[in-house]
């Protein structure tokens, strides 16, 4: 007895296997890692350094965040907009921003209040998508949270 596979079955199997191949799928847990790495007083400013890692599955062409700066007593000091610019996929980038007229010892906490811009290639990056993917951490006494 000779058993014959339907003509379309081999093509269906190849298609399924190609779809399951690692590297073709989007990350199961997309992340935009944002670490407050350092803060140092430079003249009349506090220079904050962020280490950013794009694990969203595609290049970010433009990223802008709205941050709220709280003093050591928990009072809002200012609202600021920071431009992280272009962030390649799976690469780490250090971004520094000077907070004028402020000593680092006056800062107690930074809050990521909003993602105001998130654009990129390969997928429809939106501020909402990037907001959901942010993971914050801090290596210094100033906390960073979302």
């Amino acid at each position: 007895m000779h058993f014959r596979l339907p003509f379309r079955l081999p093509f269906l199997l190849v298609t399924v296997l190609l779809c399951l191949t690692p590297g073709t799928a989007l990350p199961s847990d997309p992340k935009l890692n944002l670490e407050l790495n350092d803060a140092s007083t430079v003249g009349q400013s506090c220079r904050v350094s962020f280490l950013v890692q794009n694990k969203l599955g595609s290049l970010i062409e433009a990223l802008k965040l709205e941050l709220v700066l709280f003093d050591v007593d928990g009072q809002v000091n200012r609202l600021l907009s920071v431009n992280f610019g272009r962030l390649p996929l799976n690469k780490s980038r250090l971004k520094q921003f000077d907070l004028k007229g402020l000593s680092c010892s006056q800062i107690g906490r930074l809050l990521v209040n909003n993602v105001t811009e998130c654009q990129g290639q390969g997928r429809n990056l939106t501020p909402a998508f990037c907001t959901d993917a942010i993971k914050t951490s801090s290596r210094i006494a100033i906390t960073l949270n979302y």
Side-chain angles (χ1 to χ4, degrees):
M1 177 177 220
H2 187 78
F3 181 72
R4 223 170 169 180
L5 293 174
F7 178 73
R8 292 184 184 162
L9 185 59
F11 292 107
L12 179 62
L13 290 174
V14 169
T15 303
V16 168
L17 288 174
L18 286 175
C19 289
L20 296 176
T21 302
T24 60
L26 295 175
S28 61
D29 187 19
K31 291 182 186 150
L32 183 58
N33 296 320
L34 183 63
E35 175 188 277
L36 181 56
N37 187 272
D38 191 33
S40 56
T41 301
V42 179
Q44 301 287 41
S45 300
C46 178
R47 178 170 294 156
V48 291
S49 300
F50 291 93
L51 188 62
V52 186
Q53 190 176 39
N54 172 8
K55 296 273 195 179
L56 294 180
S58 63
L59 166 75
I60 297 174
E61 290 289 350
L63 178 68
K64 291 182 184 174
L65 304 179
E66 178 184 78
L67 301 178
V68 181
L69 189 143
F70 293 88
D71 65 21
V72 291
D73 296 323
Q75 296 291 312
V76 172
N77 179 283
R78 64 182 78 170
L79 187 68
L80 50 119
S81 178
V82 291
N83 185 352
F84 285 87
R86 185 177 190 272
L87 300 170
L89 176 62
N90 297 324
K91 300 286 183 184
S92 295
R93 290 289 184 255
L94 182 73
K95 300 291 183 171
Q96 295 182 318
F97 304 99
D98 288 347
L99 307 175
K100 296 182 190 242
L102 194 63
S103 166
C104 295
S105 63
Q106 296 174 293
I107 303 172
R109 178 171 78 125
L110 287 171
L111 170 70
V112 178
N113 199 47
N114 197 13
V115 175
T116 57
E117 183 178 359
C118 186
Q119 298 177 6
Q121 300 173 349
R123 85 163 18 162
N124 186 19
L125 291 180
T126 64
F129 178 80
C130 290
T131 296
D132 291 342
I134 288 178
K135 306 294 181 214
T136 59
S137 63
S138 179
R139 289 190 177 264
I140 60 175
I142 301 169
T143 59
L144 174 68
N145 56 20
Y146 179 75

